[in-house]
Amino acid sequence: MDRLHSDSSLLVCPAFTSECYRASHAPFISATITEEQAAESLRLVWVTTNEDLCTQWQQQLTEDTRLRAEQELTAEAEATRLCQVHQLEEETARTDERKKNRFKHTDIMMHPQPDTNEEETFVSDFALRKIDKGHFVELYYWTNSGLEEALFSYSTRDNEGLIPSEQDGAMVWISAAASKPSKHVVPDRFLSPVDFAQAVPRIVAALEEHDWPNQRVLMLARFWGAIMTHRYWNSNNQIAQRALMIYQEEQRRAWHMAVALGNGAWDLSIISDTMLACLFDRVLRESRHRDHESQVSTYRLAAKKQH
């Protein structure tokens, strides 16, 4: 149906009886149809046609109104979508900026500088950066010794400047201290049970503060809990205790490597007694070898003195 360009209801029916329309109704005049009847027939045709056009015009107006409403809704929805996209981009940019410049956005605790680090105010920059990146980091940094070292470092170091580092595909600047491990770091396997017990709740809290997935935090907490409740933990056999600490370090390091390589990690909290038994045998052999070497060295020294 062709589109109308004007409202037919505004038109006025022509006077078909007038002289100018005589030629129009002449073909309809016959012996039985007068000129007036022919003019009336033309009028009726015009009125009927005009009514149809008026109906079409109203339908056209209704359809135009519907289409405009749809277009407005579509435009409004698109504007809302673009606004949300813009807000998301801004929020993402702010989040990225906060990650890259975390120290600039750290809340300031309104209290004097602490004299000790008992409340874990200071933790090694290096350790925190490892936590941020989801990498393996030694428990030493959360022992009393590690925290005291961090406090001393914060209190005495000069401004070492910044160094470039790649993070999430972008180049960021970090403090030089954050790029270097402690010179006094103690591997997990050599930590005493007391140091280990001190560090575990502190590193769990650090993982939570640095937005580690809750599943991983719970798994590691259960893992360390399983270590401290294992029968080897309170054993009088130093070989058993050492095997347990080596197991903790090696398993956690391997787990982090598996996560980084995308090979699929495992539930650390499930202690493998088979692997632990193998470690026990390994530590026992190494201990016997050291004892043998010590005995040989002592014997040779004694023999040398006799001569």
Side-chain angles (χ1 to χ4, degrees):
M1 186 179 295
D2 294 336
R3 181 174 178 80
L4 300 179
H5 299 285
S6 62
D7 184 1
S8 297
S9 65
L10 301 177
L11 300 178
V12 178
C13 181
F16 289 105
T17 57
S18 62
E19 185 65 27
C20 62
Y21 288 100
R22 184 179 296 276
S24 298
H25 54 66
F28 300 100
I29 299 174
S30 65
T32 58
I33 299 176
T34 65
E35 185 176 346
E36 289 76 11
Q37 290 174 329
E40 179 62 18
S41 296
L42 289 176
R43 189 190 70 81
L44 291 174
V45 170
W46 186 93
V47 169
T48 302
T49 302
N50 185 262
E51 288 176 350
D52 290 341
L53 292 175
C54 288
T55 300
Q56 181 182 342
W57 177 258
Q58 290 301 321
Q59 292 174 345
Q60 182 175 294
L61 291 178
T62 302
E63 181 65 13
D64 288 348
T65 301
R66 185 187 67 80
L67 290 176
R68 279 196 301 272
E70 287 185 356
Q71 291 171 355
E72 290 174 357
L73 287 175
T74 301
E76 183 178 348
E78 179 64 12
T80 301
R81 186 189 69 82
L82 292 176
C83 182
Q84 291 174 343
V85 169
H86 181 66
Q87 290 176 347
L88 180 60
E89 290 175 347
E90 287 186 338
E91 182 62 28
T92 301
R94 284 194 294 269
T95 301
D96 290 343
E97 198 275 336
R98 290 179 70 89
K99 287 182 179 179
K100 294 176 182 177
N101 301 285
R102 179 168 56 87
F103 296 115
K104 185 178 75 174
H105 298 282
T106 301
D107 293 335
I108 302 300
M109 305 301 291
M110 305 308 292
H111 56 65
Q113 178 178 345
D115 298 324
T116 66
N117 207 10
E118 293 179 356
E119 297 181 2
E120 306 154 49
T121 304
F122 299 109
V123 180
S124 163
D125 284 344
F126 174 80
L128 292 179
R129 181 162 172 76
K130 287 284 190 179
I131 289 287
D132 270 338
K133 298 179 74 172
H135 292 175
F136 173 87
V137 62
E138 290 82 359
L139 294 174
Y140 163 81
Y141 293 102
W142 284 270
T143 64
N144 286 352
S145 298
L147 294 176
E148 287 303 315
E149 181 186 346
L151 175 61
F152 179 78
S153 176
Y154 275 100
S155 301
T156 60
R157 76 183 181 206
D158 295 327
N159 183 4
E160 299 173 330
L162 301 175
I163 61 173
S165 175
E166 185 175 349
Q167 178 174 314
D168 298 329
M171 190 63 67
V172 297
W173 293 88
I174 63 172
S175 67
S179 67
K180 297 182 295 186
S182 167
K183 296 179 181 179
H184 308 289
V185 65
V186 177
D188 287 3
R189 65 184 62 196
F190 296 125
L191 289 177
S192 68
V194 173
D195 285 337
F196 186 89
Q198 289 171 351
V200 165
R202 292 167 176 170
I203 191 173
V204 169
L207 296 176
E208 292 176 334
E209 290 172 2
H210 287 77
D211 297 325
W212 271 47
N214 190 53
Q215 180 193 35
R216 296 188 181 186
V217 176
L218 288 175
M219 181 204 66
L220 285 167
R222 289 169 182 158
F223 170 59
W224 287 316
I227 292 293
M228 290 188 287
T229 55
H230 195 275
R231 65 181 185 277
Y232 282 3
W233 180 261
N234 292 317
S235 174
N236 291 325
N237 188 332
Q238 293 185 353
I239 300 297
Q241 288 187 347
R242 181 155 173 75
L244 187 63
M245 296 302 290
I246 293 175
Y247 175 88
Q248 185 278 149
E249 178 184 332
E250 291 185 350
Q251 283 295 297
R252 191 161 63 91
R253 192 183 294 275
W255 181 86
H256 277 280
M257 291 180 63
V259 171
L261 294 174
N263 294 333
W266 55 92
D267 187 351
L268 277 174
S269 65
I270 303 174
I271 302 296
S272 172
D273 289 328
T274 301
M275 296 187 67
L276 196 51
C278 291
L279 272 174
F280 182 91
D281 291 340
R282 190 182 89 191
V283 174
L284 181 60
R285 289 195 304 271
E286 291 174 352
S287 177
R288 288 175 175 174
H289 179 72
R290 285 194 301 271
D291 290 343
H292 175 71
E293 290 294 323
S294 177
Q295 290 174 1
V296 170
S297 177
T298 301
Y299 173 78
R300 288 175 177 173
L301 182 61
K304 185 177 181 180
K305 288 182 178 180
Q306 289 178 358
H307 289 83

